Amino acid sequence: MADSMDDETRERLKAALWFSIGKIVDEETLRLNTSATPQFIGAFTEMVWAQIENVAQDLESFSRHAGRTTVNTDDVLLITRRNEALHGIMQDFIEKEQAAAAVKEKTTKAPNGKARAKK
C-alpha cells in the first residue's frame, strides 16, 4: 500500500489522521481534566499510522494468498482472529450487513428473478 501512494497523498492522509486524533485527544483530555502535549499527539499519530500500514499490508497479503485482487470481509475477519472481542464485533457487524443486503436484494427483485425498477 505505502509503495503505491504518492508523497502528497500520504501527507494529506497523515494530516487528516493527525487532525482526527487531535480532536479525539482534546475531547478526552477535557473529559478527564488533564492535558496532552502536541508531541504526544504527533507520536500517537505516527504509531496509529504505522499500525494502519501494517494492517493494510496484511489485508493485501491475505487477499493475494486467496487469489483475489480485492480485500473482502474474510480478510478482515482473519486480521482480527487474535482479538476475540474485536473478532466478535466484526463478525456480528458483517452478519447484520449481509442480512440487510439480502433483504434489500429480495425486495428489489420481481418474482421472476429480474430486478424491478426502483421507485
Side-chain angles (χ1 to χ4, degrees):
M1 177 185 134
D3 295 337
S4 65
M5 193 183 327
D6 65 32
D7 288 339
E8 181 182 343
T9 302
R10 182 188 327 272
E11 290 307 312
R12 289 180 66 205
L13 288 171
K14 274 183 128 173
L17 181 63
W18 178 84
F19 179 76
S20 295
I21 287 174
K23 284 179 60 175
I24 293 168
V25 168
D26 286 347
E27 290 170 6
E28 288 302 305
T29 56
L30 286 174
R31 187 178 68 81
L32 298 171
N33 195 28
T34 188
S35 63
T37 65
Q39 292 82 6
F40 170 80
I41 295 170
F44 192 54
T45 300
E46 288 299 322
M47 183 185 69
V48 171
W49 182 262
Q51 186 66 22
I52 289 169
E53 285 187 322
N54 288 336
V55 168
Q57 289 171 357
D58 287 349
L59 289 170
E60 288 176 345
S61 295
F62 295 157
S63 68
R64 267 196 310 273
H65 181 74
R68 293 180 273 104
T69 57
T70 305
V71 171
N72 69 21
T73 56
D74 293 336
D75 304 317
V76 174
L77 289 175
L78 189 56
I79 204 116
T80 64
R81 71 193 181 282
R82 292 190 178 143
N83 184 332
E84 286 184 34
L86 179 59
H87 187 80
I89 291 168
M90 295 303 295
Q91 185 69 46
D92 291 345
F93 177 80
I94 289 167
E95 288 171 1
K96 287 177 187 173
E97 289 297 308
Q98 288 172 340
V103 168
K104 183 177 180 183
E105 184 177 318
K106 193 175 185 180
T107 60
T108 58
K109 287 197 174 187
N112 63 4
K114 295 183 180 177
R116 278 190 245 167
K118 293 183 180 180
K119 295 180 182 180

